[in-house]
Amino acid sequence: MALAKVSSREVVNVRKRSTVVTEVIAKERTLVYRVAQEERDIIKHFSHPHALREYKLQERHRIVCDACELDLLGAAYGCAKCGFYLHKSCFEAPRELTHGAHPKHTLKLLSKAPYSSDGFYCDGCGEEGNSFTYNCACCNFDLHIDCAHLPKVMNRDDHQHKLTLYYSFPYFKYSSEEYCHVCRNSIDKRRWVYGCSQCKYWSHSDCVFGEAICSSEEEDSSEEDEDDEREVNFSSTAMLAYEMSSKLRML
């Protein structure tokens, strides 16, 4: 079959069409790449409808984490439009958890308690919570998100032994009242406590990270030590003055 003769105008049109198709494909590829890049940049969390961004927060920002309700410093994820922010550790907290304090059932992380009041009392520290909770729907068992991830063993500078986390006071049957060595307040024996059973050193689970408050006896002892130091310094100064005056008289 004889080939039909193609005009130069048709050749030009084919080349133009080919160029246009190539440009469209290139644009489509660029668009797909941009969409893929934007999708990678979008950070989502089950507790918030909007995409979150990474932040590096400082104390001057005065922002509280919407998960644990504690001050937020350092790496965080947030939605500036809504004023919603999470610690990086809270953002990465698992949605389900098997915990030694409630081993029979799996705890599920909820953005708010499943009660009419929206609040709850933590079965670990006993304090009220108004945000995220690790919840057991069968038992109405709740834990603050930070209480659920407390370390099982802690070290404190003011005690020579490691402190173990107890999910109830180890000497509950004894009627004597026990006190926290950090805040000096009494301990609720139904709540979690860090302790050294060897030395009978106890700390509330939320006090173990803080600085110890001196008791009145320790403060009196500290003041006496300071008075003794001042007396020693005064005696040294008086002796030096006496020696100087003696030398001057000899001259």
Side-chain angles (χ1 to χ4, degrees):
M1 182 182 295
L3 295 175
K5 188 176 181 180
V6 179
S7 67
S8 59
R9 179 179 295 179
E10 290 176 331
V11 171
V12 171
N13 289 339
V14 168
R15 286 175 178 173
K16 285 183 177 179
R17 189 163 57 248
S18 176
T19 301
V20 170
V21 169
T22 302
E23 290 176 352
V24 169
I25 292 174
K27 287 181 180 179
E28 287 178 349
R29 285 177 177 173
T30 302
L31 181 61
V32 168
Y33 172 78
R34 286 177 179 173
V35 170
Q37 183 68 32
E38 289 175 359
E39 287 179 350
R40 282 198 296 271
D41 292 340
I42 292 175
I43 303 170
K44 296 288 290 182
H45 193 267
F46 77 92
S47 63
H48 195 71
H50 303 141
L52 307 181
R53 289 181 55 194
E54 292 186 58
Y55 289 92
K56 192 77 173 179
L57 298 177
Q58 299 177 8
E59 188 175 358
R60 61 183 175 83
H61 293 125
R62 297 182 179 180
I63 291 176
V64 173
C65 175
D66 283 276
C68 65
E69 302 178 270
L70 299 175
D71 291 340
L72 210 168
L73 299 173
Y77 293 98
C79 172
K81 179 181 179 181
C82 301
F84 177 87
Y85 295 93
L86 299 174
H87 284 107
K88 186 175 184 291
S89 57
C90 292
F91 175 87
E92 295 173 348
R95 294 288 301 275
E96 293 187 349
L97 184 69
T98 300
H99 200 280
H102 195 74
K104 292 183 179 180
H105 303 122
T106 300
L107 305 180
K108 293 186 178 182
L109 183 61
L110 307 177
S111 59
K112 64 178 182 179
Y115 313 119
S116 58
S117 64
D118 289 340
F120 65 96
Y121 282 96
C122 176
D123 286 280
C125 67
E127 297 294 330
E128 186 179 1
N130 294 289
S131 192
F132 285 28
T133 173
Y134 274 104
N135 172 265
C136 172
C138 300
C139 307
N140 290 339
F141 180 90
D142 292 277
L143 292 177
H144 289 120
I145 188 172
D146 54 314
C147 288
H149 296 285
L150 285 173
K152 293 183 178 179
V153 177
M154 277 285 298
N155 289 314
R156 279 187 59 85
D157 293 337
D158 59 359
H159 192 72
Q160 66 270 33
H161 302 133
K162 292 182 178 180
L163 305 181
T164 302
L165 178 62
Y166 295 94
Y167 298 134
S168 62
F169 198 76
Y171 303 107
F172 188 88
K173 62 181 180 180
Y174 296 110
S175 59
S176 61
E177 191 169 12
E178 298 290 344
Y179 292 88
C180 173
H181 281 70
V182 181
C183 71
R184 306 294 176 179
N185 293 320
S186 61
I187 287 177
D188 184 345
K189 295 183 179 180
R190 299 168 298 175
R191 303 304 178 191
W192 296 1
V193 62
Y194 277 97
C196 170
S197 58
Q198 179 181 345
C199 303
K200 303 297 184 291
Y201 178 105
W202 311 111
S203 168
H204 292 118
S205 60
D206 53 350
C207 287
V208 73
F209 301 97
E211 295 183 2
I213 299 174
C214 293
S215 65
S216 57
E217 293 179 358
E218 289 173 337
E219 288 177 354
D220 292 341
S221 176
S222 177
E223 289 176 0
E224 288 176 2
D225 292 340
E226 290 178 0
D227 290 339
D228 292 341
E229 288 179 4
R230 283 195 292 268
E231 288 177 4
V232 170
N233 291 334
F234 177 77
S235 299
S236 300
T237 304
M239 181 61 71
L240 181 60
Y242 174 77
E243 290 177 354
M244 289 292 293
S245 63
S246 298
K247 289 179 180 179
L248 287 172
R249 284 197 297 271
M250 290 175 66
L251 293 174

